[in-house]
């Protein structure tokens, strides 16, 4: 049955505007990162460009591949946490906002299959977005003629973005649960914003490794010093969050009142 | 031999805190029967329908459909049930055909059923149009097509005639009657269009404040419906006093404006007319009638009439 539900879910995704809007939003990241690197590449350009030039200088980015990747990684991590939440909020929440949840839940299909299929659709789409920005990142960096690209550096940067993306993905079942519990888009998006704020606070106070929403910013160096390797405790916290989110989403679909 | 029971509820209840949305409802629907479920807004119709379909968990009691007790996660029974709950909703970015294809896929129905459903509900010219761009009436048709697509044995329909034009209402009425009579489909439907229910339903349940207060078939309705004489007269208050004093008619109700209903004196129509006219009142209408479902419903649920 999973393949039938997946086919239906992919058709819904293909036909929705948010699919292409999320791709457009994501594809801006390498361009914006490239713009900052281009600004700091020529001495004096930052001063000529006023506020934008000042902003580029403040990022501390260097005009080489390591600096470019570092900034791209931060942008991808920050963007993916928010964008992933929006994608998942949409995939689950639209069933309530469009009033189709009641149709979905009265089909001869186990309700858990919908939760699983939607989470698979989310990771496939998110994976495609990540692959797209990595490829675009290489194109932009090459076009800028940055020095210092080695295979090891490229592999490490790609791996870092993908790993942070994977860790970010493991948090989204909780977002899915909030969408089913709150029956729409807004509760999961509000939940994500709140958790990201908490992540920043806890990351800055040294508790970040125990708080799932602080771990991705820590990997990107956005909440305290950049963490190179996640502690086993952090991995366990993220793993528990994932399984708890999946279980709660299925429980909500199966046992919760759907009074949409 | 009595027909097989297809839907049965037993002391079905749903409470939201102190609010008793549904308060111990018992009914049965037999195979091939069309059961009309009537009630005012907030009477508990939609909550009952949601419990029939496993969308809401009962606070007490249970629902059995096609011999299966409806429980959370009990989905296999829906291979034999089609439904339309409240408003017609389908995926707005998907075309009519794509919406129906998804239904086919998930109910394991062969794809030719899509063409049949499109033909049955007259959706040919909209087949390639996104559902979000359909008129309300055509959205309703699409939702009905989705409900009928997998040839269900049971249809649970909440306001099936919603948003349809008069011709569409007649068409859907005929379709449902055909399904019940020729294919033995059991239909449980709620509607606020009482004349529709009166035309269509084999049995009617009236729900009020969460309770099933009356259950009757057409013959019982006829037997319980009161006969009355209705007059349309100027100065109705003066007319009431006159009829009471001169003719001894006491069971008189004023319905709207100048309209009076008399439940006594059914054999004294000529006397009533003469008394009103002789007193100088302007009599513009007079006839003997019988309560219809709407009158009966209003009487049972505490409304006018």
């Amino acid at each position: 049955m999973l393949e039938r539900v997946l086919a239906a879910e992919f058709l819904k995704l293909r036909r929705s505007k948010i699919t292409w809007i999320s791709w457009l939003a994501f594809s801006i990241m390498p361009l914006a990162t490239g713009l900052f690197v281009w600004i700091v590449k020529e001495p004096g350009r930052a001063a000529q460009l006023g506020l934008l030039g000042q902003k580029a200088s403040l990022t501390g980015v260097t005009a080489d591949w390591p600096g470019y990747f570092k900034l791209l990684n931060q942008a991808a991590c920050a963007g993916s946490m928010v964008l992933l939440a929006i994608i998942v909020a949409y995939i689950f929440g639209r069933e309530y906002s469009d009033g189709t949840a009641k149709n979905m839940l009265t089909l001869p299909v186990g309700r858990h299959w919908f939760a699983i299929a939607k989470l698979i659709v989310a990771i496939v789409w998110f994976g495609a977005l990540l692959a797209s920005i990595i490829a675009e990142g290489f194109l932009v960096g090459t076009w800028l003629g940055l020095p210092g690209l080695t295979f090891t550096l490229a592999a490490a940067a790609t791996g870092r973005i993908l790993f942070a993306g994977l860790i970010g993905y493991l948090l989204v079942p909780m977002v899915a649960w909030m969408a089913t519990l709150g029956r729409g888009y807004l509760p999961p998006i509000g939940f994500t914003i709140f958790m990201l704020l908490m992540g920043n606070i806890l990351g800055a106070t040294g508790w970040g490794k125990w708080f799932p929403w602080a771990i991705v910013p820590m990997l990107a160096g956005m909440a305290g010093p950049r963490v190179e390797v996640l502690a086993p405790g952090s991995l366990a916290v993220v793993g528990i969050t994932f399984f708890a989110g999946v279980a709660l989403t299925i429980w909500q679909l199966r046992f919760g009142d759907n009074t949409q | 031999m009595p027909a097989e029971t297809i839907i049965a509820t037993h002391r079905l209840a749903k409470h939201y805190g102190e609010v008793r949305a549904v308060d111990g409802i018992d009914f049965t629907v037999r195979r091939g029967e069309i059961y009309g479920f009537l009630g005012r807004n907030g009477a508990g119709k939609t909550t009952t329908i949601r419990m029939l379909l496993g969308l809401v968990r009962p606070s007490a009691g249970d629902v059995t459909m096609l011999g299966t007790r409806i429980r959370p996660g009990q989905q296999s029974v829906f291979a034999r049930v089609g439904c339309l709950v409240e408003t017609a909703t389908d995926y707005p970015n998907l075309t009519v055909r794509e919406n129906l294809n998804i239904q086919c896929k998930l109910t394991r129905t062969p794809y030719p059923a899509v063409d049949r459903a499109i033909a049955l509900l007259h959706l040919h010219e909209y087949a390639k149009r996104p559902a979000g761009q359909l008129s309300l009436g055509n959205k309703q048709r699409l939702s009905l097509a989705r409900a009928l697509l997998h040839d269900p044995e049971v249809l649970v329909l909440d306001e099936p005639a919603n948003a349809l034009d008069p011709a569409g209402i007649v068409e859907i009425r005929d379709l449902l009657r055909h399904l019940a009579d020729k294919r033995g489909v059991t239909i449980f439907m709620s509607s606020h269009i009482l004349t529709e229910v009166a035309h269509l339903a084999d049995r009617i349940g009236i729900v009020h404040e969460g309770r099933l207060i009356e259950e009757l078939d057409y013959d019982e309705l006829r037997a319980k419906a009161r006969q009355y004489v209705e007059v349309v007269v100027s100065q109705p208050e003066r007319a009431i006093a006159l009829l009471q004093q001169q003719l001894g008619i006491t069971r008189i109700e004023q319905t709207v404006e100048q309209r009076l209903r008399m439940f006594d004196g059914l054999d004294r129509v000529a006397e009533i007319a003469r008394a009103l006219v002789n007193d100088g009142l302007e009599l513009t209408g007079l006839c003997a009638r019988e309560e219809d479902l709407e009158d009966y419903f209003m009487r049972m649920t505490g409304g006018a009439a």
Side-chain angles (χ1 to χ4, degrees):
Chain A
M1 183 46 81
L2 180 61
E3 74 280 4
R4 289 172 179 266
V5 183
L6 271 175
E9 291 299 326
F10 274 115
L11 177 62
K12 292 182 211 169
L13 185 77
R14 272 210 318 275
R15 290 283 182 271
S16 74
K17 290 191 182 88
I18 197 158
T19 311
W20 309 110
I21 292 169
S22 65
W23 182 78
L24 273 176
F26 232 54
S27 65
I28 289 169
M29 283 179 205
L31 293 174
T33 309
L35 176 67
F36 279 20
V37 172
W38 176 76
I39 290 169
V40 298
K41 198 175 167 202
E42 291 293 329
R45 190 177 280 158
Q48 287 171 5
L49 289 171
L51 203 60
L52 185 62
Q54 278 178 20
K55 180 74 183 160
S57 301
L58 282 173
T59 60
V61 66
T62 52
D64 54 16
W65 279 99
Y68 172 65
F69 276 140
K70 188 180 169 192
L71 192 60
L72 183 62
N73 186 29
Q74 285 187 358
C77 285
S80 66
M81 292 281 286
V82 174
L83 203 62
L84 192 49
I86 292 173
I87 290 171
V88 171
Y90 175 76
I91 290 174
F92 282 85
R94 70 168 298 181
E95 301 286 357
Y96 298 92
S97 304
D98 290 344
T100 48
K102 58 185 186 250
N103 306 338
M104 181 180 85
L105 299 174
T106 49
L107 284 164
V109 177
R111 294 177 183 179
H112 58 284
W113 290 123
F114 289 106
I116 292 167
K118 284 175 186 293
L119 288 171
I120 291 173
V121 166
I123 198 171
V124 169
W125 178 233
F126 182 58
L129 288 177
L130 281 182
S132 158
I133 64 156
I134 290 168
E136 191 185 340
F138 278 108
L139 280 174
V140 171
T142 305
W143 179 73
L144 288 169
L146 299 177
L149 181 64
T150 63
F151 177 76
T152 313
L153 178 72
T158 304
R160 186 169 274 281
I161 290 175
L162 291 176
F163 182 66
L166 176 67
I167 297 293
Y169 173 77
L170 294 178
L171 308 181
V172 296
M174 293 300 275
V175 178
W177 175 52
M178 289 307 297
T180 54
L181 186 68
R183 301 187 205 109
Y185 308 117
L186 290 180
I189 289 172
F191 169 80
T192 303
I193 291 169
F194 176 74
M195 286 302 182
L196 288 175
L197 286 173
M198 289 298 293
N200 267 321
I201 294 167
L202 291 171
T205 52
W207 290 92
K209 66 180 177 182
W210 300 110
F211 188 68
W213 279 267
I215 290 170
V216 174
M218 281 165 57
L219 280 172
M222 295 161 63
R226 186 157 98 167
V227 172
E228 296 297 330
V229 180
L230 277 188
S234 295
L235 284 172
V237 163
V238 171
I240 290 167
T241 307
F242 174 77
F243 287 111
V246 172
L248 286 167
T249 305
I250 291 173
W251 189 94
Q252 183 63 35
L253 286 177
R254 192 166 172 159
F255 296 103
D257 280 353
N258 287 282
T259 53
Q260 163 208 47
Chain B
M1 196 176 83
E4 179 191 1
T5 296
I6 297 298
I7 304 172
T9 67
H10 175 65
R11 295 177 185 269
L12 190 65
K14 182 67 184 177
H15 305 155
Y16 296 100
E18 295 294 306
V19 178
R20 291 171 177 265
V22 175
D23 195 13
I25 285 184
D26 289 282
F27 63 80
T28 56
V29 187
R30 296 182 287 265
R31 183 173 291 282
E33 187 173 48
I34 300 181
Y35 190 99
F37 198 52
L38 300 181
R40 295 178 158 207
N41 292 338
K45 299 189 298 292
T46 300
T47 305
T48 303
I49 285 178
R50 285 180 185 280
M51 287 192 283
L52 292 184
L53 297 169
L55 292 168
V56 165
R57 275 198 300 171
S59 306
D62 56 69
V63 175
T64 306
M65 197 179 298
L66 291 160
T68 303
R69 187 170 167 191
I70 303 294
R71 296 169 190 268
Q74 170 54 263
Q75 298 296 115
S76 58
V77 71
F78 295 117
R80 300 160 69 193
V81 178
C83 62
L84 192 169
V85 184
E86 272 190 314
T87 47
T89 48
D90 290 276
Y91 295 105
N93 301 326
L94 269 57
T95 65
V96 166
R97 183 173 287 280
E98 284 171 337
N99 268 291
L100 296 175
N101 280 345
I102 282 185
Q103 184 77 2
C104 260
K105 201 182 285 290
L106 297 178
T107 54
R108 295 179 183 271
T109 306
Y111 281 102
V114 171
D115 289 320
R116 283 202 301 273
I118 284 174
L120 192 63
L121 275 302
H122 304 296
L123 287 164
H124 304 90
E125 62 178 298
Y126 310 105
K128 292 181 182 172
R129 191 175 292 185
Q133 292 176 14
L134 296 176
S135 66
L136 284 177
N138 283 327
K139 280 181 183 165
Q140 187 75 2
R141 285 173 181 273
L142 172 57
S143 286
L144 285 166
R146 185 173 39 69
L148 295 169
L149 189 81
H150 54 296
D151 221 358
E153 291 171 53
V154 179
L155 280 170
V156 177
L157 305 173
D158 197 359
E159 304 284 358
N162 244 0
L164 295 174
D165 58 32
I169 291 173
V170 173
E171 183 192 323
I172 297 303
R173 183 208 302 165
D174 292 346
L175 173 63
L176 296 179
R177 191 73 262 172
H178 171 83
L179 289 171
D181 292 347
K182 306 293 179 195
R183 294 204 212 161
V185 175
T186 307
I187 300 172
F188 181 91
M189 59 177 274
S190 78
S191 180
H192 68 281
I193 306 173
L194 300 187
T195 48
E196 270 315 296
V197 177
H199 275 109
L200 194 54
D202 300 310
R203 217 141 50 90
I204 294 162
I206 297 176
V207 63
H208 186 58
E209 295 176 348
R211 290 171 176 274
L212 191 69
I213 56 170
E214 184 79 60
E215 202 175 33
L216 70 174
D217 59 25
Y218 185 71
D219 291 335
E220 287 167 329
L221 175 66
R222 286 293 308 273
K224 290 187 175 186
R226 297 180 298 179
Q227 310 273 322
Y228 60 88
V229 174
E230 185 172 82
V231 295
V232 184
V233 64
S234 62
Q235 302 181 54
E237 291 79 11
R238 197 176 127 199
I240 290 171
L242 178 78
L243 292 166
Q244 286 174 339
Q245 287 161 14
Q246 282 196 13
L247 303 180
I249 297 172
T250 53
R251 289 170 59 210
I252 307 174
E253 290 174 8
Q254 185 173 355
T255 54
V256 285
E257 292 180 6
Q258 301 180 330
R259 207 169 284 262
L260 299 178
R261 285 182 183 180
M262 283 157 274
F263 297 92
D264 300 334
L266 300 177
D267 52 349
R268 299 165 70 189
V269 175
E271 278 182 74
I272 290 168
R274 203 176 304 123
L276 293 171
V277 172
N278 287 346
D279 203 57
L281 293 167
E282 193 177 324
L283 182 65
T284 53
L286 187 149
C287 61
R289 283 181 188 237
E290 183 181 271
E291 282 184 326
D292 59 13
L293 178 59
E294 187 170 314
D295 299 319
Y296 188 72
F297 173 78
M298 296 298 276
R299 180 151 60 94
M300 293 305 296
T301 58

